[in-house]
Amino acid sequence: ITTVGMPIWVSDLSSKAEYTKNLKTFQTCNTVGGLISAPLPGIIADATGNYGLYYLLLGACLLFAMVVIAVIYRGHTQPVRNGETAG
């Protein structure tokens, strides 16, 4: 997931008219999410005494994100002739 550039995600999930607005939104959410989640490992480790709960939470979030992304992409791809897909 992290190897796919954000402009490609936005291009796949947006119309041309919404591209710029959606790219700004994706970039803002990505930055804010990083700032908010950066201290979580330390906070959880301080509260519980180890990082185990954080790793479980991280794994659950990863699985959730994979499902959400798959559903979103499936909803935005339209079958076309010859079995190809178009975004």
Side-chain angles (χ1 to χ4, degrees):
I1 293 173
T2 59
T3 60
V4 177
M6 196 170 302
I8 294 171
W9 279 23
V10 176
S11 176
D12 286 350
L13 300 174
S14 303
S15 66
K16 289 183 182 182
E18 296 176 329
Y19 178 82
T20 303
K21 178 184 146 239
N22 288 345
L23 181 60
K24 288 178 185 177
T25 301
F26 273 54
Q27 289 175 328
T28 301
C29 290
N30 187 44
T31 302
V32 170
L35 291 172
I36 291 171
S37 65
L40 279 180
I43 292 169
I44 292 173
D46 287 346
T48 63
N50 64 46
Y51 289 95
L53 182 60
Y54 172 72
Y55 289 126
L56 288 173
L57 179 65
L58 189 64
C61 289
L62 177 62
L63 290 174
F64 177 74
M66 289 169 56
V67 170
V68 168
I69 290 168
V71 168
I72 289 172
Y73 264 94
R74 183 173 293 134
H76 280 79
T77 55
Q78 304 286 331
V80 245
R81 294 182 185 180
N82 299 328
E84 297 177 13
T85 59

